Amino acid sequence: MTGSSSLSSGLRALRPDAFGADPGGERLARIQGSPHFKDGVFQNPGGTARTRPSGSMLEFAKTYFEKEQRARRAPRGTVPVHATTLADLARPSVGGLRLTWMGHSSVLAEIDGHRVLFDPVWGERCSPFPFAGPKRLHPVPLPIAALGTVDVVVISHDHYDHLDLPTIKALAGTDTLFAVPLGVGAHLEQWGVSADRLRELDWHEETRIGGLTLTATPARHFCGRGLRNTQHTLWASWVVAGEEHRIYHSGDTGYFDGFKDIGADHGPFDATMIQIGAYSEYWPDIHMTPEEGVRAHLDLQGGGPHGVLLPIHWGTFNLAPHAWAEPGEWTKDAGDAAGQTVALPRPGEPFEPSGKPPVDPWWREVSAPLARPWRRALQPRGEAGPDGLGLAGDAVAPDADDLVK
């Protein structure tokens, strides 16, 4: 017994700080009392979601690690990061809403006089270890200390590419508040954020911070940072509503009918930030393709084009088998087909949804040619196809005209 106890203590000592902490006490009691927690785990809307690669792991490994395929998943040159300055962000927005995509899912939203920072990841790798794991494909647009005052940091879930230990520790030394899904507060307290600065919500719960109302809304994903995935922390999308504007951040999610309900309850939105990267046929339930992302935006807006869609969760880390720039290119196509405005800023480029959002396909300068096998023949204007995007027919195989140079 003594030897076993010593071994356990030794293993605990080797546990990286980035693993965070498991919920306990009153926090665990809240989790166990949640209507979304059953049989010892949080449940996804729409039934069980596959959270690991389906099919043959050998085939997945061949696809993921094959030399030519790996080359497709990175830019061929330097990503054109916008040189954001403190002056850019200190200047008041004209229309009361300004968004700055910092890369991946990190977005600074300036809304009705408040500043909200979604899923901030300033670390070099999304990993528990500084020497291994997916590394940045472009630098952060500006140091986190140069952001200025942030009223609230919003976390969608506890995966490493959304909840970053070095970033949280840097923010722990400020006065900012944190809005997080149920259970995630255990990690933040472990890393130095005091309990009185946490707003920890279950789905459909809301909190007021200044003049903003933040609501945790459902998503179709999963959680976990350690060697065991206990499903004891929740994942969420978020609605942020001010006096004049409403925005939505999807976090990570598969497509599901709940977008329509979120839109009916909280929309329409001036802007949505939608995950359209790191998708794969190996895990179709937990990440959206670009086409699904556009469909989700339309659902959130009541079924038709409205507001501005900002694609997130792409371009910064290599997390899936698809080509590096494919999510941006395909989202642009799907948005055009639906008549939906899609903002395409360079990382760090502020824009106002009420103004003229950036639409230049900047990635083409540093991307390999992209096949577009999903593209379909357009329906006549005003006639929606079976997927609601004004598209019809089956996907066609790419030819020379389906390559973006």
Side-chain angles (χ1 to χ4, degrees):
M1 292 294 292
T2 303
S4 175
S5 176
S6 298
L7 178 61
S8 298
S9 299
L11 290 174
R12 282 195 297 271
L14 292 173
R15 176 187 173 103
D17 193 23
F19 279 7
D22 294 328
E26 183 179 342
R27 179 175 282 117
L28 182 58
R30 278 194 68 198
I31 289 169
Q32 293 170 337
S34 167
H36 311 110
F37 191 80
K38 181 181 178 183
D39 299 329
V41 296
F42 278 110
Q43 304 291 317
N44 264 304
T48 302
R50 289 165 287 177
T51 60
R52 293 292 182 268
S54 58
S56 167
M57 284 298 296
L58 179 60
E59 289 301 316
F60 170 72
K62 286 180 179 178
T63 299
Y64 195 79
F65 293 107
E66 196 272 326
K67 184 177 180 180
E68 183 177 338
Q69 295 299 321
R70 289 178 66 185
R72 294 174 60 247
R73 299 201 305 273
R76 287 188 170 182
T78 301
V79 175
V81 174
H82 181 81
T84 312
T85 66
L86 183 59
D88 290 330
L89 302 178
R91 189 181 305 113
S93 68
V94 175
L97 176 62
R98 180 167 59 199
L99 302 179
T100 307
W101 178 52
M102 299 294 179
H104 202 57
S105 295
S106 303
V107 182
L108 176 67
E110 299 167 272
I111 173 173
D112 296 341
H114 299 79
R115 305 178 91 228
V116 182
L117 184 59
F118 291 96
D119 283 357
V121 174
W122 259 249
E124 188 65 18
R125 296 182 185 271
C126 49
S127 165
F129 308 106
F131 54 84
K135 190 176 182 180
R136 281 187 167 275
L137 300 174
H138 66 78
V140 291
L142 78 170
I144 195 160
L147 280 178
T149 302
V150 173
D151 296 293
V152 56
V153 172
V154 177
I155 303 297
S156 64
H157 63 296
D158 70 359
H159 285 160
Y160 290 99
D161 57 323
H162 296 260
L163 180 61
D164 178 56
L165 169 62
T167 305
I168 297 300
K169 284 196 169 183
L171 291 166
T174 69
D175 294 329
T176 188
L177 301 177
F178 292 81
V180 302
L182 192 55
V184 174
H187 298 312
L188 272 63
E189 284 193 53
Q190 175 83 1
W191 300 334
V193 178
S194 59
D196 63 339
R197 290 167 57 196
L198 293 173
R199 306 292 184 266
E200 201 162 344
L201 306 183
D202 200 348
W203 289 340
H204 308 299
E205 291 182 344
E206 65 181 39
T207 186
R208 289 280 296 179
I209 295 178
L212 301 178
T213 299
L214 291 83
T215 307
T217 46
R220 188 163 164 77
H221 201 57
F222 68 113
C223 66
R225 293 179 71 85
L227 299 177
R228 297 178 299 113
N229 180 10
T230 60
Q231 295 289 77
H232 277 180
T233 65
L234 189 59
W235 48 96
S237 57
W238 288 87
V239 171
V240 178
E243 293 182 2
E244 301 292 335
H245 296 92
R246 290 174 174 266
I247 56 177
Y248 170 86
H249 189 284
S250 72
D252 277 2
T253 181
Y255 179 81
F256 70 117
D257 287 343
F259 293 116
K260 298 173 184 176
D261 297 328
I262 295 170
D265 292 341
H266 302 283
F269 300 98
D270 298 281
T272 69
M273 296 153 273
I274 303 288
Q275 171 264 305
I276 49 82
Y279 49 84
S280 173
E281 62 185 10
Y282 291 103
W283 49 79
D285 300 335
I286 56 171
H287 281 155
M288 290 189 290
T289 66
E291 192 173 3
E292 289 172 328
V294 172
R295 187 181 305 136
H297 172 91
L298 298 177
D299 287 351
L300 289 161
Q301 304 290 32
H306 182 80
V308 174
L309 188 166
L310 171 62
I312 60 172
H313 204 263
W314 75 287
T316 304
F317 297 107
N318 183 342
L319 301 176
H322 61 66
W324 168 70
E326 187 177 279
E329 191 70 52
W330 288 11
T331 304
K332 183 180 186 303
D333 280 351
D336 289 347
Q340 171 59 52
T341 301
V342 176
L344 301 169
R346 291 163 174 79
E349 181 179 2
F351 74 94
E352 300 204 18
S354 62
K356 189 176 180 181
V359 295
D360 176 44
W362 52 266
W363 55 85
R364 293 180 184 174
E365 301 173 7
V366 291
S367 171
L370 295 171
R372 297 191 287 202
W374 73 274
R375 295 185 74 185
R376 305 165 188 167
L378 290 177
Q379 291 274 19
R381 174 65 64 179
E383 293 184 20
D387 56 9
L389 294 182
L391 306 172
D394 296 324
V396 296
D399 57 26
D401 293 331
D402 289 316
L403 297 177
V404 177
K405 306 299 187 205

